[in-house]
Amino acid sequence: EMHSKKSQGFRTKTSQAFQKCTNGILLTSDVSARGVDYPDVTHVIQFGLPESRKQYIHRLGRTGRAGKEGCGLLVLFPFESRFVQKELRGLKLIRNEEIEKQLLGPSTNYDDRKVDLPVDGKSIITAQQAYIAFLGYYVDQINRTNIKSKQELVQIANEMAVHVFGLQHIPPLNEQMVAKMRLKDVQGIVLEEDNTISTT
């Protein structure tokens, strides 16, 4: 695992180890997107919405180097399909329905795929942080997605909190955080002070 919150020494050591290994997986942020040569990388799998077409292409540059074949996979939520249609227009992309079936399974019902979160404080805090990060990121990306409003975004986040992140309740947010995210008075937000859901 390698990202900007790791020390430079750790990142260098991890990068060198991955360069030397013959069979491995490196989980990394964009600190590895350019300027580093990893020979013989066969696949680059991107999870989530790239910041731009340029970033998407730079990430793919880790595979298929020196005339070798490579494969790039982009895994998105259904509501992120607008990015592909608008910002990746003109690129030769193939929708892999087989992988899609494996990721989603036979059911589209959230309850059939609910995560059983371990009952410990660390897991709950991590899930709550994931919920907050999801809201904080996508509130600035609405125009690049199929999401039509902030209320719809909150609805998606709340469903994910329970059915994907495995939380029993929607995490409450303090007023300062809600204001920073520009989600004040958006229906579905749970306020920390009284733990009630905003319905205005």
Side-chain angles (χ1 to χ4, degrees):
E1 180 184 2
M2 190 164 64
H3 50 76
S4 60
K5 291 186 179 181
K6 298 290 186 180
S7 69
Q8 183 59 54
F10 178 91
R11 298 203 304 263
T12 299
K13 185 177 179 180
T14 302
S15 178
Q16 291 174 345
F18 186 66
Q19 286 175 316
K20 294 176 182 178
C21 76
T22 56
N23 187 9
I25 297 173
L26 176 64
L27 301 178
T28 181
S29 68
D30 284 309
V31 297
S32 296
R34 63 176 73 184
V36 183
D37 183 24
Y38 295 119
D40 302 322
V41 171
T42 58
H43 290 73
V44 170
I45 305 174
Q46 300 183 52
F47 289 91
L49 199 65
E51 288 292 340
S52 64
R53 177 190 181 102
K54 185 176 181 180
Q55 185 187 62
Y56 168 76
I57 293 172
H58 274 302
R59 289 173 174 176
L60 286 181
R62 299 304 94 204
T63 188
R65 300 176 72 85
K68 298 177 182 178
E69 291 188 0
C71 177
L73 298 173
L74 177 61
V75 182
L76 299 174
F77 289 110
F79 62 77
E80 294 175 310
S81 63
R82 184 180 179 186
F83 170 78
V84 176
Q85 298 161 358
K86 186 177 180 181
E87 299 186 44
L88 299 186
R89 184 182 302 168
L91 298 180
K92 294 182 179 180
L93 304 176
I94 301 173
R95 183 171 180 173
N96 194 315
E97 295 183 359
E98 184 61 33
I99 293 179
E100 192 171 308
K101 288 179 182 178
Q102 292 177 20
L103 288 173
L104 296 177
S107 175
T108 58
N109 189 333
Y110 268 130
D111 290 330
D112 293 340
R113 293 182 275 125
K114 186 173 181 179
V115 174
D116 291 322
L117 190 70
V119 185
D120 65 83
K122 186 175 181 180
S123 296
I124 292 173
I125 290 173
T126 299
Q128 291 172 338
Q129 290 172 337
Y131 169 82
I132 294 170
F134 181 91
L135 272 178
Y137 178 74
Y138 282 102
V139 74
D140 291 325
Q141 304 295 330
I142 287 179
N143 292 336
R144 302 176 66 223
T145 70
N146 302 2
I147 299 173
K148 297 179 177 64
S149 65
K150 291 180 180 179
Q151 182 174 330
E152 184 180 351
L153 169 63
V154 172
Q155 180 182 348
I156 292 171
N158 288 353
E159 289 177 352
M160 291 188 67
V162 176
H163 299 290
V164 178
F165 301 148
L167 293 167
Q168 295 297 315
H169 306 285
I170 299 167
L173 307 176
N174 62 53
E175 289 188 359
Q176 183 178 3
M177 184 179 295
V178 171
K180 186 176 181 180
M181 292 184 183
R182 303 181 304 283
L183 294 174
K184 185 178 180 180
D185 297 328
V186 175
Q187 184 175 346
I189 289 291
V190 178
L191 298 178
E192 193 174 70
E193 57 182 7
D194 56 9
N195 211 31
T196 58
I197 299 179
S198 173
T199 57
T200 56

